[in-house]
Amino acid sequence: MTPQTPPAAPLRADCIGDSAGGLTFDVAAHGDFGTPLLLLRRRDAEPEDTVSLPLAPAAEGRLRAALPSSVALPEGRWDAYARVFGHEEPRRLVPGVTDLRSLADRTPSGLLGHVAVRIPYATRQGNLTVRSWLRAPHAESGALRLADDGLTVRGRLYGTQLAHGAHAEARARSGTGEGGVRRLELTADRTEFGFTVPYGALEPGDWDLWLRPAGALGPAVRVARLLDDVADKHPVLTYPRTRVRTRCGPAEAGPYYTRDNDLSVSVTALAP
């Protein structure tokens, strides 16, 4: 029998984030590289969406690619590959050392009219992927205050102003028409906002939280928490649930972050 060729060792990439939202990738590789590239491919995109970044020698056995914040990366999950030797097929990258300290408590200026966030993370298979958000405008969720009868949200708006008539909304994910929307009063101070979600006014189900900074006729902005270094907050940031009485009877209610780091409220009916 002909011995099988052992699989090539995975290419490892160190990642560093900067406070402006850019990323630097350092790939460990040795040899005659030709014209190496780092490729980011957006998952589930039709047609295939790929961003190519040149890899340049940075030190002995290191190639470096930069993804500056000025390069648009549409919202989604971008799988990372590298092609370092001639015309070989791109190889999936695995994460090395990741330094995202500059992303903690990041406060963008908002002058560009949008907020761009890129967070590298390891998938369940151990590969390197970048989660990207591009929100224009953006409502960043800050402190959450939980009470027995509801949830109070504090946050900051980026990319637009809070105008007369601004308010928040809780929208039933499965609801249609006005019956699936609860209007919530908003407190506003320049770009800072706050609102309270009364659990008793919600039917059982999932309710997504939105901001209407220009009132009912203006844009709707999803409330989310993006400006830190946590790519998936759903399993990390968990909150206690409380028993409440709704118009449909007793229930349990509480906030949670979705897989896209958007803020929602879950209401679950209980047996009377």
Side-chain angles (χ1 to χ4, degrees), residues 19-245:
S19 59
L23 288 176
T24 300
F25 303 87
D26 277 6
V27 178
H30 298 268
D32 183 9
F33 304 121
T35 307
L37 291 173
L38 187 143
L39 306 172
L40 297 174
R41 294 176 176 172
R42 185 157 60 144
R43 197 179 300 170
D44 302 326
E46 292 291 345
E48 184 178 273
D49 199 354
T50 301
V51 172
S52 299
L53 304 172
L55 280 163
E60 180 64 30
R62 309 287 289 179
L63 297 171
R64 178 169 296 170
L67 176 66
S69 58
S70 57
V71 173
L73 197 66
E75 189 158 327
R77 299 179 188 272
W78 295 77
D79 297 329
Y81 298 79
R83 186 173 62 210
V84 296
F85 301 110
H87 299 288
E88 71 170 3
E89 284 296 310
R91 293 162 60 185
R92 196 74 163 89
L93 289 172
V94 300
V97 177
T98 301
D99 184 355
L100 303 179
R101 288 174 293 180
S102 63
L103 302 185
D105 299 320
R106 179 178 162 226
T107 305
S109 67
L111 296 178
L112 297 177
H114 67 261
V115 167
V117 178
R118 294 88 176 264
I119 303 178
Y121 70 97
T123 68
R124 292 179 181 177
Q125 293 76 32
N127 296 315
L128 177 63
T129 293
V130 176
R131 181 64 172 96
S132 174
W133 289 267
L134 188 61
R135 299 284 172 96
H138 170 56
E140 176 74 5
S141 169
L144 303 182
R145 185 172 66 83
L146 281 66
D148 291 340
D149 58 350
L151 166 72
T152 298
V153 181
R154 304 285 182 188
R156 175 177 293 179
L157 181 65
Y158 294 90
T160 190
Q161 301 292 321
L162 292 164
H164 178 72
H167 61 274
E169 290 178 347
R171 298 183 179 181
R173 196 171 299 165
S174 59
T176 57
E178 295 183 0
V181 178
R182 300 288 180 270
R183 178 170 171 150
L184 308 170
E185 294 300 317
L186 195 73
T187 60
D189 181 11
R190 296 183 181 180
T191 60
E192 306 290 326
F193 64 84
F195 61 89
T196 297
V197 184
Y199 294 147
L202 308 179
E203 288 86 8
D206 290 288
W207 295 77
D208 299 328
L209 303 183
W210 295 76
L211 206 65
R212 303 299 296 266
L217 299 180
V221 183
R222 190 71 165 92
V223 180
R225 185 168 176 178
L226 307 179
L227 298 176
D228 56 25
D229 58 353
V230 182
D232 185 1
K233 294 178 177 61
H234 182 69
V236 177
L237 299 182
T238 59
Y239 299 93
R241 297 168 63 80
T242 184
R243 293 197 170 206
V244 295
R245 179 161 293 278

